[in-house]
């Protein structure tokens, strides 16, 4: 018989069982509710790289359209990438890539929505991460020092826990 060695300060870690082993959370008793999450990331680059992307002068083609599509596709694959994520029916995935000459570079924002028993934070975070990685891949012939920064959750709503909104948006 396994010994109960689950420290009391880990009581809120739902992805661990009583022995501290990773587990998928049982959400079967929860009612489906509308849930939404928004995540963001920044991609910083040299001014010349930013200008080339804006002008459409990149050898691999349309950087922004490819990155946007990759983010959408990634959100749909989150349960295959993150071991303990539930596969979810996603009703909305929107990925925006906003030019920011002040970085210089791009701000990426993903909004994911579902009606399910668990939230979509990981799907939104996966979407912005893969969109940023794809932007890097599409532009690396111009610059290898492109930086992916500040991948973060902006907000989440729905479900039993309180809504969340980042103080830094």
């Amino acid at each position: 018989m396994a010994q109960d060695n689950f420290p009391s300060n880990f009581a809120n870690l739902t992805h661990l069982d009583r022995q501290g082993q990773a587990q998928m959370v049982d959400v079967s008793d929860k009612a489906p509710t509308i849930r939404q999450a928004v995540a963001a990331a920044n991609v910083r680059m040299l001014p010349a790289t930013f200008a080339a992307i804006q002008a459409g002068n990149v050898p691999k083609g349309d950087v922004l359209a490819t990155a946007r599509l990759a983010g959408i596709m990634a959100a749909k694959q989150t349960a295959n990438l993150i071991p303990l994520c539930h596969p979810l029916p996603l009703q909305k995935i929107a990925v925006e890539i906003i030019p920011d000459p002040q970085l210089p570079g791009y701000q990426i924002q993903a909004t994911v929505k579902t009606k399910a028993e668990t939230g979509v934070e990981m799907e939104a975070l996966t979407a912005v991460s893969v969109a940023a990685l794809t932007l890097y891949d599409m532009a690396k012939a111009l610059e290898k020092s492109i930086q992916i920064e500040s991948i973060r959750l902006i907000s989440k709503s729905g479900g039993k826990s309180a809504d969340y909104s980042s103080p830094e948006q």
Side-chain angles (χ1 to χ4, degrees):
M1 179 183 252
Q3 185 175 1
D4 185 6
N5 54 3
F6 190 71
S8 61
N9 59 338
F10 290 165
N12 292 327
L13 299 178
T14 57
H15 281 84
L16 298 178
D17 67 14
R18 295 184 60 82
Q19 288 74 41
Q21 301 294 313
Q23 69 175 358
M24 188 173 196
V25 176
D26 181 358
V27 296
S28 61
D29 289 338
K30 294 171 115 183
T33 60
I34 295 173
R35 297 157 185 269
Q36 180 171 294
V38 178
N42 295 334
V43 181
R44 185 183 305 270
M45 59 197 61
L46 295 172
T49 305
F50 178 69
I53 294 171
Q54 285 297 100
N57 292 331
V58 179
K60 287 190 173 183
D62 190 338
V63 172
L64 303 181
T66 304
R68 187 177 303 106
L69 184 57
I72 292 167
M73 293 172 65
K76 293 172 16 175
Q77 294 299 316
T78 301
N80 293 325
L81 300 170
I82 311 291
L84 301 177
C85 284
H86 294 83
L88 296 172
L90 304 179
Q91 278 81 31
K92 175 185 180 177
I93 306 168
V95 177
E96 295 179 78
I97 303 176
I98 304 135
D100 184 347
Q102 300 303 312
L103 276 173
Y106 295 89
Q107 296 177 24
I108 302 173
Q109 185 168 302
T111 302
V112 180
K113 190 174 185 179
T114 190
K115 183 174 184 181
E117 297 82 4
T118 190
V120 287
E121 298 92 353
M122 295 309 298
E123 287 74 9
L125 288 161
T126 299
V128 296
S129 299
V130 172
L133 289 167
T134 301
L135 199 156
Y136 179 94
D137 181 53
M138 294 291 290
K140 69 184 177 197
L142 301 174
E143 178 189 348
K144 303 274 190 277
S145 63
I146 295 170
Q147 297 175 35
I148 298 169
E149 305 173 339
S150 301
I151 297 170
R152 63 209 180 273
L153 183 67
I154 299 295
S155 65
K156 76 138 208 105
S157 62
K160 188 172 79 171
S161 66
D163 290 354
Y164 168 80
S165 185
S166 171
E168 297 176 28
Q169 296 188 31

